[in-house]
Amino acid sequence: MAAHFDRRLRKAAVTTTVAAVAVAALSASQAPNVTADGNGRQTTADNAPTSDASSQESATGNSPYYTDLPPLDSPSPAPTIGTPSSRGPSEAGIPATVLDAYKKAEAELLQSKPGCNLPWQLLAAIGKVESGQARGGRVDADGTTIGKIIGPQLDGNGFALIKDTDNGVYDGNSSYDNAVGPMQFIPSTWAWAARDGNGDGKADPNNVYDAALAAGHYLCRNNWDLSDQGDLASAILSYNNSQDYLSTVLSWLEHYRKGTHEIPDGTGSLPGSRSDGTGYGSGSGSSTGGSGGSTGPRTPGTASPDPKPSPHKPSQPGKPTTPGTGSPSPKPPTDPEPPAETPGPTPTDTVDHLENAGATGLTAMAGDTFTQKISTRAETEDGKAVGKVRIRFTVVGDTDAAFTGGEKVAAITTDTSGVAVAPALKAGEKTGGFTVRATVIGRSVKALDHEATVTERVADALESITDTTLTCTPGGEFADRVEVKATRKGEAADKVAVTATLVKSVLDPTENDKGPYFKDADDKPVRTLTGLKTDAKGLLKLPELYADDTEGTYVLRLTTAGGAVRDITLNVAAAEPAPDPSEDPATEPEA
């Protein structure tokens, strides 16, 4: 009781500087009516999910996590060893490779999603509660964990029910999913959130660089700004949907923001207890040693060995015994208990197939937002609509198109008509076709593919900024460079491809074989240029033009996708001779 009371005091003290929402949640988690469920886990109203996100959509599948709180002392400088209220520096520090992975992920997100404002300390806080910083930094030189970190199978027995989605590739379980790696991703989430953080060409949930970068992008989806307390809470809850989890992560976030220090890989401490009521019983992250005869830390989710049974089994508590025997008295007959009620199927269980509920053949110009949204209808075998089903939309294929906010994945709940509408889709710069795949979260149903196409940018007019007639002497260089402006519906058309060709005449678009020319990288004459693009203001300035020795009038034709055309006249002529002063009548002597 005293230890529990001390934990409550320490927990309250640590979070006094955390935002009000975290303080409120933390206080609630220390209520005196904490109970334990059938699996030995603490249960309070505080642990109830706080959003409509299902376990299949969270990063971890709402798997168990470490509940240890930060030490009271500030992590920088390291707390003094040996005092009753402090802990060793290994607990406050972060293993070197793990810390490097968090900071590199922050730097990448600063470039790719600057509006997210992701602090590396948040990744460190989540890494602490999910895996104890990769089990105290037990990683190799490339950042891959030495031995896989696998959570308990999510079979519905005290945990979420998530049937296998990866054929056991990541978690070794072909029946149910398990959270995997230092950031504890379930395979179904890793399938779309995966990132290559260390540049080795593959995305591995067991690599701390890959996992940290994936976690960063996961937390930055939905246009969340993590400098906003509400968005921060939403992002953390989407990772593991529990108010107590939110409080614990925020406590470590605040702790690391005060400062921390780097420690050697493999020397970090491992937390002692988890939200499912289990614990490692060892304060060390090493593979040997440990208190209580432990031979090292267990992989999360594995069971402890059963204690040796006592040779003298006591009578079961609460049952009357027969005098002089110690045996339980015969139980008086009672009415048989009614059979347990079998739960009916969930809406997800009834889905048989998906149907397209919107337009087909979606097309948008590069850089534009698709005018129509993709929508999918969930139906039973006999064609009835199924509401309250989560549909995952995933952008697949060689494309840089994405949903609003730059995300490639979105999860939407079907309405009463069984329809889920994906967020607005924005075309990237890469042209061509791609697919938006719709799948049912939590059920193996054939995916429904929606096809979309991105076309190149167009302009409907080209305006000449320079003179429409330019002059040069044979063998010389034109003094002015050709410059044009592309517009579309009267507005500047940026990033529009322009082709410049020196044609034989206004009526003959064939490339000329004489007259003015451009130069290629080897200074050889070329008379057609492709790959030119207008700038943000729709402007394009062509390279220098040169003339051969052939005099005449020539045409430079500029064309764009969309049909815009502009002809520029080029004159190649010898310079007029300077007048002879002796022939000037004004200089002739008077008669």
Side-chain angles (χ1 to χ4, degrees):
M1 181 66 181
H4 182 66
F5 182 71
D6 175 68
R7 177 176 172 82
R8 284 187 292 168
L9 290 178
R10 181 166 59 85
K11 192 170 185 180
V14 170
T15 55
T16 51
T17 56
V18 182
V21 61
V23 175
L26 191 57
S27 300
S29 70
Q30 303 305 314
N33 59 344
V34 175
T35 60
D37 64 14
N39 295 283
R41 296 180 301 168
Q42 289 187 348
T43 58
T44 67
D46 200 31
N47 279 319
T50 56
S51 72
D52 62 353
S54 69
S55 298
Q56 290 93 336
E57 294 171 52
S58 73
T60 68
N62 297 332
S63 292
Y65 56 90
Y66 290 113
T67 58
D68 289 26
L69 292 170
L72 291 173
D73 295 333
S74 171
S76 180
T80 304
I81 301 176
T83 60
S85 60
S86 67
R87 302 184 183 185
S90 63
E91 179 154 348
I94 300 177
T97 299
V98 180
L99 180 60
D100 184 57
Y102 296 149
K103 290 186 175 181
K104 284 187 175 178
E106 177 195 52
E108 196 277 344
L109 267 298
L110 182 63
Q111 297 294 322
S112 61
K113 296 182 180 179
C116 177
N117 295 304
L118 171 79
W120 67 261
Q121 293 91 340
L122 176 59
L123 297 176
I126 290 177
K128 181 69 174 181
V129 302
E130 292 295 347
S131 68
Q133 309 298 20
R135 292 185 300 195
R138 296 186 67 242
V139 297
D140 63 18
D142 296 323
T144 301
T145 58
I146 300 173
K148 292 184 177 181
I149 304 174
I150 300 178
Q153 71 174 14
L154 301 174
D155 56 5
N157 183 23
F159 310 110
L161 174 59
I162 304 179
K163 294 183 179 179
D164 176 63
T165 60
D166 67 330
N167 294 319
V169 171
Y170 293 116
D171 54 17
N173 189 342
S174 59
S175 298
Y176 300 95
D177 271 352
N178 306 61
V180 178
M183 303 303 278
Q184 289 289 277
F185 278 98
I186 54 174
S188 58
T189 301
W190 183 258
W192 58 265
R195 296 292 192 280
D196 177 15
N198 62 351
D200 63 356
K202 61 182 180 180
D204 181 4
N206 299 293
N207 182 277
V208 69
Y209 288 98
D210 297 354
L213 184 58
H217 277 277
Y218 182 91
L219 293 164
C220 285
R221 72 197 195 286
N222 297 333
N223 282 330
W224 280 326
D225 177 2
L226 301 183
S227 65
D228 176 83
Q229 191 65 29
D231 284 358
L232 175 63
S234 296
I236 295 172
L237 286 169
S238 76
Y239 209 91
N240 198 317
N241 195 17
S242 154
Q243 280 290 339
D244 197 45
Y245 180 85
L246 171 64
S247 302
T248 307
V249 169
L250 287 175
S251 297
W252 282 104
L253 170 60
E254 184 69 13
H255 181 72
Y256 288 135
R257 274 177 167 163
K258 292 177 180 177
T260 187
H261 58 281
E262 178 184 298
I263 60 175
D265 289 344
T267 65
S269 63
L270 204 60
S273 59
R274 297 196 303 147
S275 59
D276 60 351
T278 65
Y280 284 84
S282 170
S284 171
S286 63
S287 58
T288 60
S291 61
S294 171
T295 59
R298 295 182 291 109
T299 300
T302 59
S304 302
D306 290 333
K308 187 177 180 179
S310 170
H312 302 289
K313 185 177 180 181
S315 61
Q316 299 182 40
K319 290 188 177 183
T321 59
T322 302
T325 66
S327 300
S329 301
K331 187 176 180 180
T334 59
D335 293 332
E337 295 183 1
E341 199 173 304
T342 303
T346 66
T348 301
D349 294 333
T350 66
V351 177
D352 176 75
H353 59 273
L354 297 175
E355 292 287 346
N356 183 15
T360 58
L362 285 79
T363 302
M365 189 177 69
D368 283 359
T369 299
F370 284 78
T371 56
Q372 295 174 307
K373 292 182 178 180
I374 293 172
S375 56
T376 296
R377 175 182 163 98
E379 296 183 353
T380 62
E381 187 175 4
D382 56 2
K384 293 182 179 180
V386 184
K388 297 183 179 181
V389 172
R390 302 292 284 181
I391 304 296
R392 179 180 292 126
F393 295 95
T394 307
V395 179
V396 296
D398 185 17
T399 181
D400 53 355
F403 294 117
T404 303
E407 296 301 326
K408 295 281 189 177
V409 178
I412 307 296
T413 303
T414 58
D415 58 19
T416 54
S417 62
V419 175
V421 181
L425 187 65
K426 185 174 182 180
E429 294 303 318
K430 189 171 292 186
T431 59
F434 65 95
T435 299
V436 177
R437 181 161 296 155
T439 56
V440 179
I441 297 174
R443 183 169 173 80
S444 296
V445 173
K446 183 180 179 181
L448 176 65
D449 287 346
H450 302 264
E451 304 302 328
T453 303
V454 177
T455 61
E456 62 181 327
R457 293 173 182 258
V458 300
D460 54 28
L462 276 174
E463 174 188 354
S464 178
I465 304 300
T466 53
D467 293 336
T468 55
T469 301
L470 303 178
T471 302
C472 179
T473 58
E477 178 181 345
F478 286 85
D480 296 321
R481 291 168 60 183
V482 175
E483 186 173 9
V484 293
K485 180 177 182 179
T487 58
R488 181 175 58 253
K489 297 180 180 180
E491 301 292 333
D494 64 325
K495 300 180 182 179
V496 172
V498 179
T499 298
T501 306
L502 290 149
V503 298
K504 290 187 175 181
S505 70
V506 173
L507 300 178
D508 186 355
T510 307
E511 179 184 288
N512 212 333
D513 56 358
K514 60 183 178 180
Y517 61 89
F518 299 104
K519 287 183 179 180
D520 64 12
D522 298 322
D523 286 338
K524 294 181 179 180
V526 292
R527 291 186 169 86
T528 297
L529 295 179
T530 59
L532 305 171
K533 284 193 175 182
T534 60
D535 63 15
K537 297 180 179 179
L539 299 174
L540 171 65
K541 182 176 283 189
L542 271 63
E544 292 83 356
L545 269 167
Y546 304 88
D548 62 13
D549 295 331
T550 308
E551 297 188 43
T553 300
Y554 301 91
V555 176
L556 170 63
R557 175 160 294 174
L558 305 174
T559 59
T560 73
V565 179
R566 171 61 63 177
D567 288 342
I568 306 293
T569 302
L570 306 175
N571 287 329
V572 180
E576 294 184 6
D580 186 349
S582 63
E583 298 179 0
D584 188 349
T587 62
E588 293 182 4
E590 295 182 1

